[in-house]
Amino acid sequence: MKLIEVRNLRKQYPNHLAVDDVSFEVAEGEIFGILGPNGAGKTTTVECIAGLRARDGGTVRVAGLDPNQDRDELRQVLGMQLQSAALPEKIKVWEAMDLYASFYPDPANWSELLDRVGLTGKRDSAFKKLSGGQRQRLSVALALVGRPRVAVLDELTTGLDPQARRDTWELVQQVRDSGVTIVLVTHFMEEAERLCDRLALIDAGRVVATDTPSGLIAQVGEEQRVRFRPSAPVADEVLLAVPEVSQVARSGDQVVVTGSGNLAPAVTLALARHQIVPGDLRIERATLDDAFLALTGRKLA
């Protein structure tokens, strides 16, 4: 079932066309990612979906509601964690939850929500005393307190250390498993590949592709690379004789073999026939970064 439908969305600022003919759909129950560089129009797009900005063209429907015309009804359906949202420094965690719960006729039990996001122990802490990861967890709890069908999470893990980022990813998956559809705005490739069922790649205000992460990567091709340090010199001809190998290159004392299929086992077997051991062997496949480069002509900074 389609929960969100965006058709030919357009948003114009005085000197900048931020969103230009953007279209995509989000199915109920999925984590849908909006991936692109800073300034690509990602946040403007989701702010139009959430009714925080009036669109200049196109149509948007969230559970059949028009964000421009049905803002009060939309608040009962959609919860949003804003990239730049900040609470008063002295407000306590429980006070923020209680305040947000008062905005809804049938809010979730916010004490249970705090437990779900791992903040029960910080219930009486002031906002300014929370770490970056704890603040993000609180923002997720606040987005969920109205029992929304869809939650929009905008650059949720920006500025977090690696462990806090992974903890937050686990929380996002738990939220989806509880029945909430998620729209995840990010510029982190690993985050998008790890969490999202489908993605819209956005660049310069336009959608350049929409697919699953693996589908986008497959557009680059099935090519892969094997990188290793040989225990003894090996001639290019030995490796090029392997059917799976298409190219051999060298980088310092490393050999980089490009090809397809079961490339790593085939190369390892060919080396073994010559009593050569591939040290520090790494298998490198195409990534979302490669897909973005192939589709836009530039890397995702």
Side-chain angles (χ1 to χ4, degrees):
M1 176 183 171
K2 299 171 190 172
L3 189 57
I4 299 173
E5 295 180 78
V6 179
R7 290 280 176 272
N8 310 112
L9 177 64
R10 187 175 185 276
K11 179 61 182 177
Q12 173 79 56
Y13 295 116
N15 300 309
H16 175 53
L17 180 59
V19 179
D20 182 13
D21 199 33
V22 162
S23 298
F24 58 83
E25 297 173 350
V26 179
E28 189 159 17
E30 74 176 339
I31 299 178
F32 185 87
I34 298 179
L35 176 68
N38 292 328
K42 305 186 303 296
T43 295
T44 299
T45 296
V46 294
E47 286 179 344
C48 289
I49 291 172
L52 299 178
R53 292 190 187 275
R55 63 187 182 271
D56 295 317
T59 60
V60 177
R61 295 293 182 271
V62 180
L65 300 171
D66 182 333
N68 282 6
Q69 300 176 6
D70 309 313
R71 295 185 64 180
D72 290 341
E73 295 93 330
L74 184 65
R75 283 197 198 96
Q76 310 306 317
V77 174
L78 184 145
M80 185 162 186
Q81 168 267 330
L82 289 168
Q83 180 180 352
S84 57
L87 292 166
E89 285 192 348
K90 293 184 179 180
I91 194 171
K92 294 180 180 178
V93 168
W94 76 264
E95 290 173 331
M97 294 297 296
D98 194 52
L99 174 65
Y100 274 59
S102 71
F103 300 156
Y104 300 96
D106 182 29
N109 183 316
W110 58 257
S111 293
E112 291 179 4
L113 266 181
L114 283 182
D115 191 47
R116 274 178 62 192
V117 302
L119 286 179
T120 298
K122 295 292 181 179
R123 172 192 169 103
D124 294 318
S125 297
F127 181 73
K128 68 177 179 180
K129 296 285 184 67
L130 301 180
S131 69
Q134 290 165 347
R135 289 184 182 196
Q136 294 297 57
R137 286 174 169 268
L138 176 59
S139 69
V140 172
L142 294 173
L144 297 177
V145 76
R147 301 181 190 268
R149 291 176 62 187
V150 56
V152 177
L153 307 178
D154 188 5
E155 300 287 4
L156 183 64
T157 63
T158 296
L160 300 187
D161 63 63
Q163 185 57 55
R165 181 170 292 147
R166 280 167 173 74
D167 290 344
T168 304
W169 291 350
E170 186 177 324
L171 173 60
V172 171
Q173 290 172 321
Q174 290 171 0
V175 171
R176 191 270 292 277
D177 291 344
S178 73
V180 180
T181 300
I182 293 173
V183 177
L184 180 72
V185 178
T186 184
H187 65 271
F188 290 122
M189 291 293 180
E190 185 185 0
E191 181 165 286
E193 196 166 349
R194 168 87 169 263
L195 292 177
C196 297
D197 300 301
R198 289 189 309 122
L199 287 166
L201 293 187
I202 292 187
D203 186 42
R206 298 183 68 91
V207 173
V208 295
T210 305
D211 206 336
T212 62
S214 60
L216 290 167
I217 292 169
Q219 292 185 37
V220 182
E222 298 301 321
E223 197 173 76
Q224 54 186 287
R225 291 179 296 274
V226 172
R227 186 185 298 267
F228 62 91
R229 289 184 172 85
S231 60
V234 55
D236 287 3
E237 290 74 22
V238 170
L239 297 167
L240 289 168
V242 178
E244 290 84 354
V245 173
S246 60
Q247 183 180 346
V248 177
R250 294 175 188 270
S251 175
D253 62 349
Q254 289 188 330
V255 177
V256 184
V257 178
T258 303
S260 58
N262 293 318
L263 182 62
V267 167
T268 303
L269 184 59
L271 293 170
R273 292 195 189 103
H274 292 79
Q275 289 78 51
I276 297 172
V277 177
D280 298 329
L281 186 142
R282 283 184 289 158
I283 301 170
E284 301 171 351
R285 292 183 171 85
T287 64
L288 276 176
D289 209 4
D290 296 321
F292 192 85
L293 176 62
L295 290 162
T296 67
R298 63 194 185 92
K299 281 193 170 289
L300 180 52

